[in-house]
Amino acid sequence: MIAKLKGRLDSTGIDHAIIDVGGVGYLVGASSRTLAALGPVGEAVTVHTEMLVSEDSIRLVGFARGEERDWFRLLIGVQGVGSRVALAILSALEPLELHRAVAAGDKAMVARANGVGPKLALRIVNELKDKIGVAPTAAGPLGSGGVSISAGGYGADALSALQNLGFRPAEASAAVAAAEEELGEEATLDALVRLALRKAAK
């Protein structure tokens, strides 16, 4: 699984970018917010990625920040929300705005995204409300309640790993943040996940 790409921005399109990593060009789908955050063509970039595998294709979707990828994973887990709709929502709303909208049950805010009608917006709000915790007061990871996970390193990947193991977002976020603080920014993903698991299990 490709979790992150670090290379040079080769080109961008309406809904994608091509990242040159050691002479190999990776086509990465992206929201308009991520594309705007990448900077000018030719510059060095780092994007968090999600690999989507189906019977007839393998696609990469890229994100400027780990929390945007976390929201993408949550959104595509809702019935009726595919990758295009999820990116449209992330193009219309910042992660913090989306978190607040879902926590408040504000389906009208979610429906601002292209391709999201009132019924789908209501389903998104209803299905995700219990998964995200309280709305944060500042930009932060899902359900953190203000706990900050480093945008660099493997914080977002460790958070996803714990959530996939069944931990609630708030529990996973607090455990990963504590593990990051103890291990430092140079920690490997394996070490970060192992320590976070021990802290979450206490």
Side-chain angles (χ1 to χ4, degrees):
M1 178 177 176
I2 300 175
K4 184 167 69 174
L5 292 176
K6 187 174 183 179
R8 181 180 60 83
L9 182 60
D10 183 86
S11 62
T12 60
I14 295 175
D15 59 357
H16 69 274
I18 296 178
I19 312 297
D20 186 323
V21 182
V24 178
Y26 289 86
L27 178 66
V28 180
S31 70
S32 60
R33 291 182 185 275
T34 285
L35 291 172
L38 291 180
V41 170
E43 294 295 315
V45 294
T46 299
V47 293
H48 302 275
T49 57
E50 181 76 359
M51 181 180 289
L52 304 178
V53 181
S54 64
E55 291 183 0
D56 55 359
S57 69
I58 298 176
R59 297 174 52 223
L60 281 177
V61 183
F63 310 93
R65 294 184 293 166
E67 59 262 38
E68 188 182 10
R69 180 179 59 184
D70 293 337
W71 270 107
F72 178 83
R73 289 170 172 168
L74 282 176
L75 287 167
I76 62 174
V78 176
Q79 182 181 359
V81 179
S83 60
R84 291 182 183 276
V85 171
L87 289 177
I89 293 171
L90 292 170
S91 292
L93 300 170
E94 287 272 6
L96 178 58
E97 294 174 322
L98 183 54
H99 196 147
R100 286 174 173 166
V102 171
D106 190 350
K107 65 178 183 179
M109 179 71 79
V110 178
R112 287 171 47 186
N114 290 332
V116 180
K119 289 185 178 179
L120 182 56
L122 180 60
R123 185 185 304 145
I124 291 170
V125 168
N126 287 341
E127 290 193 20
L128 298 185
K129 192 170 185 178
D130 292 336
K131 296 181 179 180
I132 63 168
V134 297
T137 55
L142 300 181
S144 67
V147 177
S148 177
I149 286 180
S150 171
Y154 297 103
D157 295 322
L159 177 61
S160 176
L162 263 68
Q163 289 182 233
N164 289 338
L165 290 171
F167 289 96
R168 292 180 61 83
E171 296 172 333
S173 180
V176 172
E180 278 196 319
E181 183 176 355
E182 183 172 326
L183 295 174
E185 294 185 357
E186 301 303 316
T188 64
L189 176 58
D190 181 67
L192 191 59
V193 170
R194 287 177 184 274
L195 181 57
L197 279 171
R198 289 200 296 271
K199 290 183 178 296
K202 287 183 179 180

